[in-house]
Structures are given as structure tokens and as C-alpha cells.
Amino acid sequence: MKLLLHTCCAPCSVYCIDSLRGENIEPTVYWFNPTIHPYMEYKQRRDCLKEYTKNIGVEAIFEENYGLVDFCKNTIGSLETRCQDYCYPVRLEQTAKYAKENGYDCFSTTLLVSPYQKHEVLIQVAEDMAKKYGVEFLYRDFRVGFRDGQAKARELGLYMQKYCGCVFSEEERYAKQIERDTIGIIENNQ
């Protein structure tokens, strides 16, 4: 089976690749993430994945598209639903399209490992793209291995990002800290 595995970062790929290899499926990693910002975060995740795939002997394809302008244009009207309306579709459509055009039997994504993603929405978007491009979507519920994969990534010294990818997810990650800081500033100014 020739599998194209959309990959958001090295830590999320650890369990997915190990699990697939356990099934005798050798994935090809596919980096296409125009939803990760700012650029230094994008670069750090990409470069870590390049090094990791090289070290474990996995073929990897890196499609460069930082995509900040398109991301902003396509999410500004729907920040609350950006994942399902833009982030998942843009990445999974490109993955399905690339898989079809380059002779892969199927595609999947490491986004399925995260308990923080909208799992059912991801599945639906992937199935829609599979149908659109006539290539199979290989579903695996990788979430069972999320903690083990993260632990192994830490042991390997992989770059561990602090948020999903877009600047809005970074803001959500720090929401409580932002609130505390804001209250502290207000109190100090009174």
C-alpha cells in the first residue's frame, strides 16, 4: 500500500509512523501546512520534521507554502470555525490531490493523533476530499497513542510546539495568561 501521510509536525508523526509501520505500511510524509504561523514557528516545525524523517528513514515531501495572506483572507470572517472551514480542508485537499496525481493508493493525516482536534470533522473533510479526488482515505484513530508519541518525541529531543499552529490557536493557548496579565495591568493602573 502506497500511503501519503499529511504531517503537521514531528511530534505528532511519531506514534502515527510507528503504528503504521507496525501494520507493515511504510508512509511517505507530506508537509503542506500553510496554516502554521508565524514564520519562525512554521520553519522550526518543518526543519524538525525534516531531521526526524531523515533519522528514521522515512521518505518525506516538503511542499513549501507559508500561506499567511491566504490564511487571513479565508479565516477572518469565521475565526470560530476556521479549523473546519479552512485549516482542515486546505491541507487535506492538497494532500488528496497530490496523492492522486502521484500514484498513491491512499492518504491520511497525523492530525488524527491529537485529542485537541475536531476528530469527526477531520474524518468528514478527509472523506469528502477522497471522494473529490478519487483516492482512498485511510482512517486510523491514532489518539490512543498520543501520550506515548509525545513522550517519545520528548525523549528524542524533538521540538515540541506549544499550540496547534495558527496565531489564533496560540492566543487560545495563552487565554488565561492574557486575562491575568490584563487584570494585573488594570489593577496596577488604578
Side-chain angles (χ1 to χ4, degrees), residues 143-154:
R143 292 176 294 184
V144 297
F146 178 74
R147 300 281 175 232
D148 290 341
Q150 296 292 294
K152 184 175 177 182
R154 281 186 188 84

Side-chain angles (χ1 to χ4, degrees), residues 1-4 28 61 95-107 133-136:
M1 172 186 304
K2 194 171 174 189
L3 169 68
L4 188 66
T28 297
I61 299 161
T95 304
K97 182 179 180 208
Y98 188 95
K100 180 64 174 179
E101 291 174 350
N102 291 278
Y104 287 85
D105 301 314
C106 53
F107 73 97
Y133 289 96
V135 63
E136 181 185 344

Side-chain angles (χ1 to χ4, degrees), residues 76-175:
I76 197 66
S78 59
L79 295 179
E80 309 313 317
T81 58
R82 67 189 179 276
C83 299
Q84 63 209 38
D85 292 345
Y86 185 71
C87 295
Y88 298 161
V90 74
R91 293 187 281 181
L92 295 179
E93 179 166 15
Q94 184 58 31
T95 304
K97 182 179 180 208
Y98 188 95
K100 180 64 174 179
E101 291 174 350
N102 291 278
Y104 287 85
D105 301 314
C106 53
F107 73 97
S108 193
T109 179
T110 60
L111 294 169
L112 293 168
V113 78
S114 174
Y116 305 108
Q117 298 297 330
K118 296 169 176 69
H119 198 80
E120 298 306 318
V121 174
L122 266 171
I123 294 168
Q124 187 58 58
V125 170
E127 288 174 348
D128 291 347
M129 296 308 166
K131 189 179 294 182
K132 180 176 180 178
Y133 289 96
V135 63
E136 181 185 344
F137 165 58
L138 181 74
Y139 172 71
R140 295 291 186 271
D141 189 348
F142 293 123
R143 292 176 294 184
V144 297
F146 178 74
R147 300 281 175 232
D148 290 341
Q150 296 292 294
K152 184 175 177 182
R154 281 186 188 84
E155 287 173 20
L156 294 169
L158 300 180
Y159 170 68
M160 303 294 290
Q161 64 271 11
K162 306 288 188 265
Y163 60 98
C164 179
C166 79
V167 294
F168 302 112
S169 67
E170 182 188 31
E171 182 183 45
E172 288 168 357
R173 181 200 187 276
Y174 291 109

